Amino acid sequence: MAWLDSLSPQTQFVFFTLLKIACVLGPLLTLVAYAVLAERKVSALIQDRVGPNRVNLPLIGSIPVLGPFLTKLGFWHPLVDGVKSFIKEDFTPAHVRKIYFWLAPAISLVPAFLVVAVIPFGSTLGAQKMVIADLNVGILYTFGIVSLGVYGIVLAGYAANSKFPFLGGIRASAQMISYEIAMGMSVIPVFLVVGDLNLGKIIEHQAQNGWNAFPVFGGGFGLQQWLLVPCGVVSFVIFFISALAETNRLPFDMAESESELVSGYHTEYSSMKFGMFFIGEYANMFAGAAMMTTLFLGGWTLPFLGLDQPADSILMGLVHIGIFMGKMLGFMFIFMWLRWMLPRFRYDQLMDLGWRRMIPLALANIILTAAVLALTNR
Amino acid sequence: MIVKRNELTWFERLYLPALIGGLKVTTRHFLNTLTTKTPVTQQYPEEPTRVLPGYRGAPYLVRDQDGATKCVSCQLCEFVCPPKAIRITPPGPTGKPADRTNAEKMPEEFEINMLRCIFCGLCQEVCPEEAIFLKSDFSLTGLARNEMIYDKEKLLALGGTHSGIQKWKQKLEEAKEQEIFPVKV
């Protein structure tokens, strides 16, 4: 590693940043592919089915126990799904607005990956902080980027130049803009408690003062912690519901709603362009899960076994990354579980829930949190 | 009938009871399928499918108890066929005679286009000779369109022999069961 030390600090920074981007994006894309498989398997189990269990690879499939097991697990399905998406005919209908039609899948994909840049997915590994960009205003950046996500869907709906995608796009834009407000307001109590916008600092604060979703967990049993429990739970629940709405997951998938709108905004898309919407949706889910883990469930920390201190060895660094992944995958499972449990909201019910329940509740929660902090701070 | 709809209580309007109920149901199904390993899925190509009696599969021609062609080329099935999947070439005045007694003629060619066939069973219904039956086959495959046009030999081979079903026998029994036989004057 001598050549590394010989580089200037700036070059080292660039080198490690690029390395971290590669190390985050690669596993993230793999996880996205396997999240699709997990979704199919979870849905199968909930509906008493078997799920995908067909694809068999020539060499690995002939290993005695492992091969059939992996096939039964559907382990190779993401692989062949990807290949299928790429080699399918990429059909552009004659009536679409071409430029936007080509632009929309990319726009819906990019914000999901950009959000991951500010998420601290571990403490440290060696001398490197496990976050790609340690921004002071991490959360503001996140909200800025997340609100870009709506453009992909709106553009797709507009570009398709036909009725169902257009309706899907309109619904999605109204829904995402409404729930963004509730989402933003539900995070304000967290900032009031923590007093910092840096996501790393938020995790640090949670390690000392308890998880924001449930402050008595991991932060002692002081009066302030007990009083903050309802605030934390309410803001966590609102954020969770808004995240569901932002990622267009059931029960809020008004943008797709295949029973009414064929498949909503991506009706006219085929092959890898559709694949990019699909990847975008799942990457968005991962981004939402990572945000919730960071903001409310203490990120890479656990309040026992000394796991809440920054790592002092490579092994501990990996354990922290594992904890973060575990929490994130737990959220992904809950997303999938909810999808197969709750029916879709009607459009007016959705708007009613957003504007007349969640936003007032979030506002009240801000005032309550501020009052609790004002009364209990020394 | 007027169904009385109870007003939802304050607690029910929070969505929470329904949510918890749903969570219970899905968790139960998830864990049951995960642990007891009894999914309802039938592994189709590996496990043979069970077809119930009365199932309407592909229509095939049948032979009688002596192995002779039952069809007499009356073309009723051709006329009744809604998607016009059946095409019969009658023997004409110079054609081969029927290979069984009590029949004037048999078709020179009998074709069913299985791509057109909708498995409705009208041909079986209309056949006066009980010569065509909807069997239990349902997954017909071919590599080309003309492979899916089944000719007389193929249909007869697939249909097999129906020695149990003889001309008018079943109708006779039906009439006897209804106690209108012999017709009372």
Side-chain angles (χ1 to χ4, degrees):
Chain A
M1 297 305 253
W3 63 275
L4 206 59
D5 296 327
S6 67
L7 299 171
S8 69
Q10 283 83 8
T11 330
Q12 273 193 25
F13 175 75
V14 170
F15 173 77
F16 277 115
T17 306
L18 287 177
L19 193 69
K20 277 189 270 189
I21 290 174
C23 290
V24 169
L25 269 190
L28 182 67
L29 280 169
T30 319
L31 273 178
V32 163
Y34 277 91
V36 178
L37 174 71
E39 169 107 54
R40 292 170 70 184
K41 277 289 183 189
V42 167
S43 72
L45 289 175
I46 286 175
Q47 298 171 348
D48 297 353
R49 293 185 286 113
V50 181
N53 64 345
R54 290 282 140 179
V55 180
N56 196 357
L57 289 195
L59 274 176
I60 304 170
S62 53
I63 299 172
V65 181
L66 186 71
F69 176 71
L70 287 181
T71 300
K72 203 159 169 257
L73 213 61
F75 192 75
W76 308 113
H77 274 260
L79 197 71
V80 287
D81 280 347
V83 173
K84 186 201 74 174
S85 292
F86 271 110
I87 62 179
K88 242 175 145 177
E89 183 191 359
D90 190 16
F91 185 72
T92 309
H95 55 76
V96 299
R97 300 181 168 95
K98 293 264 166 19
I99 296 172
Y100 301 124
F101 189 76
W102 281 79
L103 209 58
I107 292 183
S108 78
L109 188 62
V110 169
F113 289 130
L114 286 181
V115 170
V116 183
V118 291
I119 307 276
F121 51 90
S123 54
T124 52
L125 211 56
Q128 291 298 319
K129 273 182 137 182
M130 284 294 104
V131 52
I132 293 173
D134 196 14
L135 288 187
N136 281 335
V137 289
I139 189 70
L140 292 184
Y141 165 86
T142 315
F143 276 100
I145 295 296
V146 162
S147 59
L148 286 179
V150 71
Y151 285 105
I153 290 172
V154 171
L155 266 187
Y158 173 71
N161 200 8
S162 67
K163 289 161 197 70
F164 286 153
F166 188 60
L167 279 173
I170 289 176
R171 282 182 179 187
S173 55
Q175 168 191 332
M176 289 173 85
I177 290 166
S178 313
Y179 278 84
E180 223 158 79
I181 299 170
M183 195 181 209
M185 284 181 172
S186 71
V187 189
I188 291 176
V190 173
F191 301 145
L192 288 176
V193 172
V194 176
D196 205 309
L197 291 176
N198 184 319
L199 291 172
K201 296 272 169 50
I202 290 175
I203 291 178
E204 222 168 82
H205 180 271
Q206 288 181 81
Q208 288 154 14
N209 301 310
W211 291 2
N212 279 329
F214 205 73
V216 287
F217 186 72
F221 298 96
L223 177 65
Q224 193 186 31
Q225 264 85 7
W226 278 112
L227 287 175
L228 280 175
V229 165
C231 311
V233 170
V234 167
S235 65
F236 175 61
V237 168
I238 294 176
F239 191 91
F240 182 81
I241 295 172
S242 307
L244 280 178
E246 283 291 307
T247 49
N248 286 312
R249 294 285 298 178
L250 272 166
F252 301 107
D253 71 337
M254 301 313 296
E256 279 189 51
S257 58
E258 58 270 31
S259 53
E260 304 145 34
L261 301 181
V262 191
S263 60
Y265 61 94
H266 54 58
T267 305
E268 308 283 354
Y269 284 89
S270 56
S271 79
M272 202 53 211
K273 287 212 214 71
F274 168 74
M276 280 168 85
F277 280 117
F278 214 63
I279 295 172
E281 183 187 329
Y282 279 85
N284 259 323
M285 282 165 69
F286 272 109
M291 282 304 293
M292 275 188 282
T293 308
T294 311
L295 287 175
F296 292 101
L297 292 197
W300 43 263
T301 64
L302 275 182
F304 37 77
L305 299 175
L307 286 168
D308 51 355
Q309 295 308 315
D312 42 14
S313 64
I314 297 279
L315 179 71
M316 282 304 278
L318 290 175
V319 167
H320 281 153
I321 294 176
I323 292 170
F324 181 82
M325 295 277 282
K327 289 177 182 173
M328 198 169 72
L329 295 180
F331 272 119
M332 290 298 286
F333 177 73
I334 294 172
F335 278 162
M336 290 166 190
W337 185 11
L338 284 177
R339 172 169 184 183
W340 301 103
M341 191 181 81
L342 294 172
R344 181 181 300 128
F345 275 84
R346 214 170 55 209
Y347 184 60
D348 61 315
Q349 291 173 333
L350 175 96
M351 283 301 173
D352 184 73
L353 184 73
W355 287 96
R356 286 175 47 203
R357 310 277 160 84
M358 309 268 272
I359 291 177
L361 196 62
L363 274 172
N365 195 32
I366 294 171
I367 295 168
L368 184 67
T369 313
V372 167
L373 287 174
L375 288 176
T376 55
N377 267 3
R378 40 277 121 204
Chain B
M1 194 178 82
I2 297 168
V3 179
K4 191 164 170 284
R5 287 176 194 274
N6 293 325
E7 278 282 302
L8 293 180
T9 61
W10 172 87
F11 183 57
E12 280 168 336
R13 269 186 287 141
L14 280 177
Y15 301 123
L16 283 178
L19 194 74
I20 292 162
L23 280 172
K24 267 193 214 153
V25 171
T26 42
T27 315
R28 195 177 67 232
H29 278 267
F30 184 84
L31 293 178
N32 280 350
T33 324
L34 197 68
T35 52
T36 60
K37 297 190 173 74
T38 51
V40 295
T41 314
Q42 201 177 20
Q43 299 290 330
Y44 164 59
E46 289 91 13
E47 287 174 29
T49 330
R50 200 162 49 101
V51 169
L52 296 174
Y55 182 81
R56 296 200 294 222
Y60 294 143
L61 291 176
V62 295
R63 294 177 186 277
D64 68 1
Q65 64 274 22
D66 307 321
T69 312
K70 289 180 98 176
C71 177
V72 295
S73 186
C74 71
Q75 294 179 295
L76 276 179
C77 52
E78 188 179 0
F79 296 142
V80 82
C81 183
K84 301 203 187 310
I86 299 176
R87 179 195 283 174
I88 297 171
T89 315
T94 55
K96 242 170 71 175
D99 55 2
R100 67 176 167 99
T101 51
N102 302 329
E104 280 182 21
K105 52 182 181 173
M106 65 174 184
E108 190 166 304
E109 188 50 272
F110 191 111
E111 288 173 340
I112 301 181
N113 187 342
M114 291 300 180
L115 294 173
R116 297 200 72 126
C117 178
I118 57 171
F119 301 177
C120 64
L122 285 188
C123 47
Q124 172 184 347
E125 203 77 29
V126 83
C127 183
E129 297 289 326
E130 293 175 335
I132 187 166
F133 283 92
L134 265 63
K135 298 300 194 80
S136 53
D137 285 8
F138 57 89
S139 68
L140 312 172
T141 49
L143 294 173
R145 277 168 196 267
N146 52 12
E147 263 179 48
M148 297 306 289
I149 300 174
Y150 286 22
D151 62 4
K152 187 178 145 191
E153 278 70 45
K154 193 168 183 182
L155 290 169
L156 280 168
L158 287 166
T161 307
H162 267 225
S163 56
I165 299 170
Q166 291 164 22
K167 191 183 178 186
W168 304 126
K169 189 182 168 193
Q170 199 185 342
K171 296 236 159 71
L172 191 78
E173 279 164 7
E174 272 174 21
K176 275 180 184 163
E177 273 170 23
Q178 289 168 9
E179 297 180 348
I180 53 162
F181 185 89
V183 180
K184 282 170 195 151
V185 186

